[in-house]
Amino acid sequence: MKVRDGTVKRSALTPFVIIAVAVAAVGGILFGYDTGVISGAILFITSEFALPPTLEEIATSSVLVGAILGAIAGGLLADRIGRRLSIIAASVVFLAGTGIVVGATDLSIFLVGRVLIGIAIGVASFVSPLYISEIAPPAFRGGMVSLNQLFITFGILISYGVDFLFSSSGDWRAMFALGAVPAAVLLIGMVLLPDSPRWLLSRQHMNRAIAVLEKARGTGDVFGELDDIKKAIGMQKGGNWSDLLASSIRMPLIVGLGLAVLQQLTGINTVIYYAPTIFQFSGLHSAGASIAATAGVGTVNVIATAVAVVLIDRVGRRPLLLVGVAGMVVSLAVLGAGFAFSGTVQGGSLLGLITAVSLMTYIASFAIGLGPVFWLLISEIYPLTVRGRAMGVTTIANWAANFLITVTFLTLVGAIGQAGVFWLYALVSIIAWFFVFRLVPETKGLTLEEIEEHFRAGRHPRELKGLP
Ligand code: BGC
């Protein structure tokens, strides 16, 4: 893996790797589908269980609470029992949670099921990218890990479609039941696949690690890569929570935690979860129009993420982040201005147009940058022996910030108005841009061990430049 011209790294794309990556990325569908499906289902659940607004909010956000719990447990699991078994356990918990939700006869049973689903998503949300990053060849790692994000956006879009399909019958149980399909695919697929070669080596399963690497690279000549991994393990003894305080991990943790929080505080999930409401604020009162506009947002999210998947190993992580976050700043500023000045222009229809266009550019900008690149970078920048735990901690911050933004959105709109809220997110996006500019490394084309070596030497993240 010391080859610098990229030829060896580029040639190493085998059917086995493609299948392993595609299966693990199905975790992204669970993530997207089950965070998205509630938006349509909640209307019917509220009426069946006669929920007042506070209980409706709890029913909506329970999956996020579960995801925080899942990320807490998942970090330890991923390092201890492995990436593969963690994903298998998450799929089983997901199926159990789905069964409970579908059969729920009252709110408390429903909540138990939703929290279980959340726990499973919390684990899968970072163990899937982690597994992919540890099995993918370096030259394709960015696109392959980002496939997980593509599947998240796909899951969200499918959930909008399913909500729409079942909206006339009001069958919310069927909406949730369909989530079992990708979970079963993930479960069966991961049972058949081996664990990541890096985790196997970190637990001294040498022969199995060699076998997986040979299959993954399509060659018997894997000893260079193997040596690099062994060296990285040897340098970084430990594997305890306290190792997260080591000075070599401080910088990666600052980068990871910063991106985790900024990915959410720039407002993405107010759009994902509340798009119909935002469209209604802007005067699109017909349900049909706001559903169509929401489907448009979901589609743009998928398409722009697909573009990122293609670009991420060519142009690199930093350019995508810098361009994407800049696009978010502009879109949010315009969206806020639309709401602030709509009274003085032609009112409803113009505001509707401004809202639709700026939400589309906002989501496209997120999808090309912060969406995929956050999950990718946190699977790349932590040292192997504590990678699961460090990613777990980072993922807790991401889900906690998601929860915070989601539960405060409507209250904030009441307090400072729509314009105020979108400008606030624009301000956070400006901070995010400078954060990226100053601190985020370029990891394109490098092996995970090269990245680890850089941080162990105590060097600044920005000095890491990636391969040209
Ligand atoms: C974020 C989610 C978000 C999704 C939207 C992910 O990267 O972590 O919170 O809902 O992107 O596409």
Side-chain angles (χ1 to χ4, degrees):
M1 273 300 141
K2 288 277 183 253
V3 178
R4 284 290 175 162
D5 63 5
T7 46
V8 168
K9 290 178 179 182
R10 282 229 161 260
S11 64
L13 198 54
T14 58
F16 169 74
V17 154
I18 295 173
I19 293 171
V21 166
V23 168
V26 172
I29 299 191
L30 298 188
F31 179 158
Y33 186 83
D34 261 82
T35 50
V37 75
I38 190 77
S39 63
I42 193 68
L43 305 172
F44 307 107
I45 296 165
T46 303
S47 74
E48 182 168 331
F49 296 147
L51 303 181
T54 42
L55 289 183
E56 183 183 338
E57 265 173 33
I58 291 175
T60 308
S61 51
S62 50
V63 80
L64 299 180
V65 175
I68 297 172
L69 298 176
I72 294 174
L76 190 62
L77 276 187
D79 283 341
R80 280 266 167 87
I81 65 169
R83 317 337 187 183
R84 170 179 171 269
L85 275 184
S86 302
I87 300 178
I88 290 176
S91 318
V92 172
V93 172
F94 187 96
L95 288 170
T98 300
I100 294 173
V101 164
V102 171
T105 46
D106 63 31
L107 179 69
S108 47
I109 301 178
F110 175 85
L111 288 180
V112 170
R114 278 302 273 172
V115 170
L116 283 178
I117 289 178
I119 290 176
I121 294 178
V123 174
S125 63
F126 75 95
V127 186
S128 283
L130 166 57
Y131 177 83
I132 297 173
S133 135
E134 290 187 337
I135 203 160
F140 299 96
R141 192 179 57 239
M144 292 192 136
V145 175
S146 303
L147 200 68
N148 185 67
Q149 173 73 16
L150 183 64
F151 280 21
I152 294 176
T153 62
F154 198 51
I156 294 173
L157 188 62
I158 300 174
S159 78
Y160 290 163
V162 167
D163 281 358
F164 178 67
L165 271 184
F166 288 104
S167 59
S168 50
S169 64
D171 190 351
W172 60 268
R173 292 169 202 276
M175 297 176 187
F176 287 107
L178 281 176
V181 178
V185 172
L186 185 62
L187 176 60
I188 297 167
M190 288 311 293
V191 165
L192 298 175
L193 284 165
D195 212 315
S196 94
R198 287 176 168 77
W199 182 79
L200 287 170
L201 260 186
S202 77
R203 309 304 279 191
Q204 322 298 334
H205 301 304
M206 176 69 97
N207 292 339
R208 280 157 65 197
I210 295 175
V212 178
L213 258 189
E214 286 180 348
K215 242 168 131 182
R217 302 293 177 256
T219 163
D221 181 16
V222 293
F223 292 94
E225 186 170 357
L226 213 65
D227 278 349
D228 283 351
I229 304 173
K230 278 197 291 195
K231 205 169 99 203
I233 296 168
M235 299 284 226
Q236 197 81 49
K237 281 274 167 260
N240 292 315
W241 286 108
S242 57
D243 297 325
L244 291 184
L245 302 175
S247 60
S248 57
I249 307 184
R250 197 162 307 140
M251 254 310 168
L253 265 183
I254 291 173
V255 173
L257 288 172
L259 285 177
V261 171
L262 291 167
Q263 194 210 34
Q264 295 298 325
L265 298 193
T266 43
I268 182 62
N269 285 313
T270 60
V271 178
I272 299 291
Y273 305 157
Y274 293 104
T277 313
I278 300 174
F279 282 119
Q280 283 180 358
F281 286 156
S282 78
L284 277 186
H285 287 300
S286 101
S290 71
I291 287 174
T294 305
V297 165
T299 309
V300 170
N301 197 11
V302 175
I303 295 172
T305 307
V307 173
V309 168
V310 175
L311 289 182
I312 211 159
D313 288 314
R314 293 165 206 262
V315 302
R317 288 63 164 149
R318 271 177 66 85
L320 287 185
L321 271 181
L322 291 171
V323 170
V325 176
M328 290 166 74
V329 171
V330 175
S331 310
L332 287 165
V334 171
L335 183 59
F339 278 104
F341 304 118
S342 60
T344 56
V345 286
Q346 295 164 21
S349 58
L350 180 64
L351 178 59
L353 186 68
I354 293 176
T355 304
V357 173
S358 48
L359 281 188
M360 301 291 173
T361 55
Y362 169 79
I363 205 95
S365 307
F366 173 86
I368 203 132
L370 266 181
V373 183
F374 159 66
W375 291 107
L376 169 60
L377 275 173
I378 67 164
S379 75
E380 299 181 319
I381 57 177
Y382 298 128
L384 174 57
T385 48
V386 287
R387 193 170 288 148
R389 276 165 247 238
M391 272 187 93
V393 168
T394 309
T395 306
I396 297 169
N398 185 261
W399 284 107
N402 183 344
F403 180 76
L404 181 77
I405 279 286
T406 310
V407 297
T408 53
F409 177 62
L410 294 177
T411 317
L412 266 182
V413 167
I416 57 175
Q418 289 98 346
V421 175
F422 293 123
W423 281 340
L424 185 63
Y425 298 152
L427 185 68
V428 181
S429 304
I430 293 174
I431 296 172
W433 195 92
F434 282 104
F435 181 87
V436 171
F437 184 73
R438 302 230 16 119
L439 286 176
V440 170
E442 182 55 78
T443 52
K444 181 183 83 166
L446 298 173
T447 66
L448 295 177
E449 290 66 39
E450 284 164 341
I451 301 169
E452 184 166 341
E453 211 175 294
H454 178 90
F455 285 117
R456 200 178 317 111
R459 315 239 307 269
H460 190 276
R462 260 185 76 191
E463 287 170 27
L464 195 62
K465 295 275 190 265
L467 290 188

